[in-house]
Amino acid sequence: MENKVLKIIKSRVSCRAYNGKKVSLKKALEVAEAGKYAPSGKNRQIANIYVVNSKRYVEKLRTLSLNELNCDCMYGAKTILLVGAPREDAFTDKDCSCILENMFIAAHALKIDSCWINQFDDLFNTKNGLKVKKALGIPEDYKIVGSCILGYAQDEESLKVKDRKEDFIKIL
Ligand SMILES: Cc1cc2nc3c(=O)[nH]c(=O)nc-3n(C[C@H](O)[C@H](O)[C@H](O)COP(=O)(O)O)c2cc1C
Protein backbone atom coordinates (compact mmCIF):
# COMPACT_ATOMS: atom_id res chain seq x y z
CA MET A 1 0.00 0.00 0.00
CA GLU A 2 1.31 3.45 -0.90
CA ASN A 3 2.34 5.71 1.97
CA LYS A 4 -0.47 8.18 2.83
CA VAL A 5 1.70 11.29 2.60
CA LEU A 6 3.13 10.27 -0.78
CA LYS A 7 -0.38 9.59 -2.04
CA ILE A 8 -1.43 13.12 -1.03
CA ILE A 9 1.62 14.68 -2.69
CA LYS A 10 0.97 12.79 -5.91
CA SER A 11 -2.74 13.60 -6.13
CA ARG A 12 -2.54 17.38 -5.59
CA VAL A 13 -3.70 19.53 -8.52
CA SER A 14 -4.17 23.25 -9.12
CA CYS A 15 -7.79 24.37 -9.05
CA ARG A 16 -8.93 27.40 -11.06
CA ALA A 17 -12.70 27.40 -10.52
CA TYR A 18 -14.17 27.57 -7.00
CA ASN A 19 -17.75 27.14 -5.84
CA GLY A 20 -17.77 30.19 -3.55
CA LYS A 21 -17.86 28.24 -0.25
CA LYS A 22 -15.39 29.80 2.14
CA VAL A 23 -12.71 27.80 3.93
CA SER A 24 -13.03 28.28 7.71
CA LEU A 25 -10.40 30.46 9.35
CA LYS A 26 -9.43 27.44 11.49
CA LYS A 27 -8.64 25.40 8.37
CA ALA A 28 -6.84 28.30 6.66
CA LEU A 29 -4.67 28.62 9.77
CA GLU A 30 -3.92 24.89 9.72
CA VAL A 31 -2.68 25.35 6.15
CA ALA A 32 -0.59 28.37 7.18
CA GLU A 33 0.82 26.37 10.10
CA ALA A 34 2.10 23.77 7.62
CA GLY A 35 3.81 26.62 5.76
CA LYS A 36 5.38 27.79 9.00
CA TYR A 37 7.10 24.42 9.40
CA ALA A 38 8.82 24.56 5.98
CA PRO A 39 12.62 24.59 5.99
CA SER A 40 14.32 27.98 5.78
CA GLY A 41 17.83 28.92 4.69
CA LYS A 42 20.11 28.93 7.75
CA ASN A 43 16.92 28.69 9.86
CA ARG A 44 16.58 32.48 9.61
CA GLN A 45 12.79 32.31 9.09
CA ILE A 46 12.75 35.57 7.16
CA ALA A 47 9.33 35.04 5.56
CA ASN A 48 5.80 35.87 6.62
CA ILE A 49 2.48 34.36 5.64
CA TYR A 50 -0.43 36.81 5.31
CA VAL A 51 -3.72 34.94 5.74
CA VAL A 52 -6.29 37.08 3.95
CA ASN A 53 -9.63 35.78 5.09
CA SER A 54 -11.86 38.83 5.45
CA LYS A 55 -14.34 39.60 2.68
CA ARG A 56 -13.15 43.21 2.66
CA TYR A 57 -9.50 42.44 1.87
CA VAL A 58 -10.18 39.52 -0.46
CA GLU A 59 -12.43 41.87 -2.44
CA LYS A 60 -9.69 44.52 -2.51
CA LEU A 61 -7.26 41.97 -4.00
CA ARG A 62 -9.81 40.73 -6.52
CA THR A 63 -10.69 44.26 -7.60
CA LEU A 64 -6.99 45.13 -7.92
CA SER A 65 -6.40 42.21 -10.30
CA LEU A 66 -9.54 43.06 -12.27
CA ASN A 67 -8.61 46.73 -12.59
CA GLU A 68 -4.93 46.27 -13.40
CA LEU A 69 -4.92 43.01 -15.38
CA ASN A 70 -8.51 42.67 -16.47
CA CYS A 71 -8.59 39.19 -14.94
CA ASP A 72 -9.90 37.81 -11.66
CA CYS A 73 -6.87 36.25 -10.00
CA MET A 74 -9.02 34.84 -7.19
CA TYR A 75 -10.93 32.41 -9.47
CA GLY A 76 -13.85 32.65 -7.03
CA ALA A 77 -11.79 31.63 -3.96
CA LYS A 78 -12.55 33.52 -0.73
CA THR A 79 -9.22 33.02 1.02
CA ILE A 80 -5.67 33.77 -0.07
CA LEU A 81 -2.38 33.27 1.74
CA LEU A 82 0.30 35.67 0.52
CA VAL A 83 3.91 34.64 1.19
CA GLY A 84 6.64 37.24 1.25
CA ALA A 85 10.03 38.18 2.63
CA PRO A 86 12.55 41.03 2.15
CA ARG A 87 13.10 41.48 -1.59
CA GLU A 88 16.89 41.76 -1.37
CA ASP A 89 17.48 38.68 0.77
CA ALA A 90 19.22 35.85 -1.09
CA PHE A 91 16.90 33.25 0.47
CA THR A 92 13.59 34.97 -0.21
CA ASP A 93 12.53 33.00 -3.30
CA LYS A 94 13.70 29.68 -1.93
CA ASP A 95 12.23 30.04 1.55
CA CYS A 96 8.88 31.32 0.29
CA SER A 97 8.61 28.56 -2.33
CA CYS A 98 9.15 25.89 0.33
CA ILE A 99 6.40 27.49 2.43
CA LEU A 100 4.02 27.62 -0.51
CA GLU A 101 4.56 23.98 -1.45
CA ASN A 102 3.98 22.84 2.14
CA MET A 103 0.70 24.77 2.08
CA PHE A 104 -0.53 23.24 -1.20
CA ILE A 105 0.14 19.76 0.16
CA ALA A 106 -1.46 20.56 3.53
CA ALA A 107 -4.53 22.03 1.83
CA HIS A 108 -4.97 18.89 -0.24
CA ALA A 109 -4.56 16.72 2.86
CA LEU A 110 -7.39 18.75 4.45
CA LYS A 111 -9.57 18.27 1.31
CA ILE A 112 -9.22 21.94 0.37
CA ASP A 113 -8.47 22.93 -3.22
CA SER A 114 -5.73 25.44 -3.99
CA CYS A 115 -3.62 27.14 -6.64
CA TRP A 116 -0.41 29.19 -6.76
CA ILE A 117 -1.20 32.77 -7.82
CA ASN A 118 1.80 34.66 -9.07
CA GLN A 119 0.55 38.13 -9.93
CA PHE A 120 0.37 39.92 -6.60
CA ASP A 121 3.96 41.10 -6.39
CA ASP A 122 3.60 42.93 -9.73
CA LEU A 123 0.15 44.15 -8.73
CA PHE A 124 1.54 45.59 -5.48
CA ASN A 125 4.04 47.57 -7.54
CA THR A 126 1.23 49.56 -9.16
CA LYS A 127 0.00 52.82 -7.62
CA ASN A 128 -3.28 51.27 -6.44
CA GLY A 129 -1.57 48.05 -5.46
CA LEU A 130 0.85 49.77 -3.15
CA LYS A 131 -2.10 51.17 -1.19
CA VAL A 132 -3.55 47.66 -0.83
CA LYS A 133 -0.15 46.26 0.19
CA LYS A 134 0.08 48.92 2.90
CA ALA A 135 -3.48 48.28 4.06
CA LEU A 136 -2.60 44.58 4.48
CA GLY A 137 0.37 45.54 6.64
CA ILE A 138 2.95 44.08 4.24
CA PRO A 139 6.26 45.99 4.47
CA GLU A 140 7.03 47.95 1.31
CA ASP A 141 10.38 46.18 0.84
CA TYR A 142 8.77 42.72 0.89
CA LYS A 143 8.56 40.62 -2.25
CA ILE A 144 5.41 38.51 -2.49
CA VAL A 145 6.97 35.42 -4.04
CA GLY A 146 3.65 33.73 -4.50
CA SER A 147 0.29 33.17 -2.99
CA CYS A 148 -1.99 30.24 -2.31
CA ILE A 149 -5.71 30.58 -2.92
CA LEU A 150 -7.91 28.22 -0.95
CA GLY A 151 -11.44 27.03 -1.57
CA TYR A 152 -13.58 24.19 -2.84
CA ALA A 153 -13.67 23.22 -6.51
CA GLN A 154 -16.76 23.96 -8.57
CA ASP A 155 -16.38 20.56 -10.15
CA GLU A 156 -14.11 17.97 -8.49
CA GLU A 157 -14.39 15.74 -11.57
CA SER A 158 -12.42 18.18 -13.71
CA LEU A 159 -9.41 18.12 -11.35
CA LYS A 160 -7.04 15.67 -12.99
CA VAL A 161 -3.41 15.07 -12.08
CA LYS A 162 -1.29 16.04 -15.09
CA ASP A 163 1.06 13.54 -16.66
CA ARG A 164 4.71 14.06 -15.81
CA LYS A 165 7.38 13.82 -18.51
CA GLU A 166 8.98 10.40 -18.84
CA ASP A 167 12.55 11.54 -18.21
CA PHE A 168 11.80 13.79 -15.20
CA ILE A 169 14.03 11.71 -12.91
CA LYS A 170 17.54 10.80 -13.98
CA ILE A 171 19.26 7.92 -12.28
CA LEU A 172 23.03 8.13 -12.31
C1 LIG B 1 6.00 29.46 -9.72
C2 LIG B 1 4.58 29.12 -10.11
C3 LIG B 1 3.73 30.12 -10.52
C4 LIG B 1 2.40 29.82 -10.85
N1 LIG B 1 1.54 30.84 -11.15
C5 LIG B 1 0.25 30.56 -11.42
C6 LIG B 1 -0.68 31.60 -11.65
O1 LIG B 1 -0.37 32.79 -11.56
N2 LIG B 1 -1.95 31.27 -11.95
C7 LIG B 1 -2.36 29.96 -12.04
O2 LIG B 1 -3.52 29.72 -12.33
N3 LIG B 1 -1.51 28.94 -11.78
C8 LIG B 1 -0.22 29.21 -11.47
N4 LIG B 1 0.65 28.20 -11.17
C9 LIG B 1 0.18 26.80 -11.18
C10 LIG B 1 0.74 26.03 -12.39
O3 LIG B 1 0.17 26.51 -13.57
C11 LIG B 1 0.47 24.53 -12.17
O4 LIG B 1 1.16 24.10 -11.04
C12 LIG B 1 0.88 23.70 -13.38
O5 LIG B 1 0.05 23.95 -14.47
C13 LIG B 1 0.86 22.20 -13.08
O6 LIG B 1 -0.43 21.83 -12.67
P1 LIG B 1 -0.70 21.15 -11.26
O7 LIG B 1 -0.39 22.14 -10.19
O8 LIG B 1 -2.16 20.77 -11.31
O9 LIG B 1 0.20 19.94 -11.16
C14 LIG B 1 1.96 28.47 -10.81
C15 LIG B 1 2.84 27.47 -10.37
C16 LIG B 1 4.12 27.79 -9.99
C17 LIG B 1 5.02 26.69 -9.46
Side-chain angles (χ1 to χ4, degrees):
M1 205 177 74
E2 192 175 17
N3 173 281
K4 267 189 204 167
V5 175
L6 296 183
K7 206 169 161 193
I8 286 165
I9 289 173
K10 286 161 80 174
S11 58
R12 178 215 56 81
V13 289
S14 296
C15 171
R16 298 189 181 83
Y18 294 85
N19 66 10
K21 186 182 166 210
K22 196 173 166 174
V23 169
S24 69
L25 179 59
K26 184 173 173 272
K27 285 234 157 92
L29 290 176
E30 281 185 73
V31 173
E33 189 77 2
K36 185 167 124 182
Y37 280 87
S40 69
K42 298 181 183 170
N43 188 31
R44 286 171 51 235
Q45 304 181 30
I46 55 170
N48 286 99
I49 303 166
Y50 297 87
V51 180
V52 186
N53 185 251
S54 74
K55 194 174 171 188
R56 179 169 169 233
Y57 286 121
V58 167
E59 204 46 35
K60 271 188 194 288
L61 291 169
R62 199 177 79 84
T63 307
L64 180 65
S65 71
L66 276 170
N67 289 345
E68 301 290 334
L69 297 172
N70 205 20
C71 87
D72 181 350
C73 288
M74 295 298 298
Y75 295 130
K78 308 287 181 205
T79 304
I80 180 166
L81 280 53
L82 301 155
V83 182
R87 190 174 299 279
E88 301 306 328
D89 197 290
F91 283 106
T92 287
D93 288 348
K94 292 162 185 164
D95 283 12
C96 291
S97 296
C98 286
I99 291 169
L100 282 154
E101 179 60 0
N102 263 21
M103 298 201 305
F104 297 125
I105 302 301
H108 185 45
L110 294 168
K111 301 193 183 337
I112 297 166
D113 296 301
S114 68
C115 188
W116 180 311
I117 301 300
N118 214 40
Q119 283 77 19
F120 283 103
D121 194 57
D122 287 342
L123 286 169
F124 288 153
N125 280 327
T126 63
K127 197 172 154 220
N128 285 330
L130 188 57
K131 286 185 201 154
V132 179
K133 190 179 185 182
K134 277 188 182 162
L136 293 172
I138 303 172
E140 217 173 313
D141 73 325
Y142 262 37
K143 175 178 179 182
I144 297 301
V145 174
S147 47
C148 167
I149 49 172
L150 296 177
Y152 300 97
Q154 241 172 47
D155 169 21
E156 280 286 339
E157 299 299 303
S158 65
L159 298 179
K160 292 241 162 26
V161 175
K162 283 118 192 143
D163 291 339
R164 263 45 180 185
K165 60 180 184 181
E166 290 286 329
D167 63 346
F168 209 121
I169 299 169
K170 311 274 190 194
I171 303 170
L172 305 168

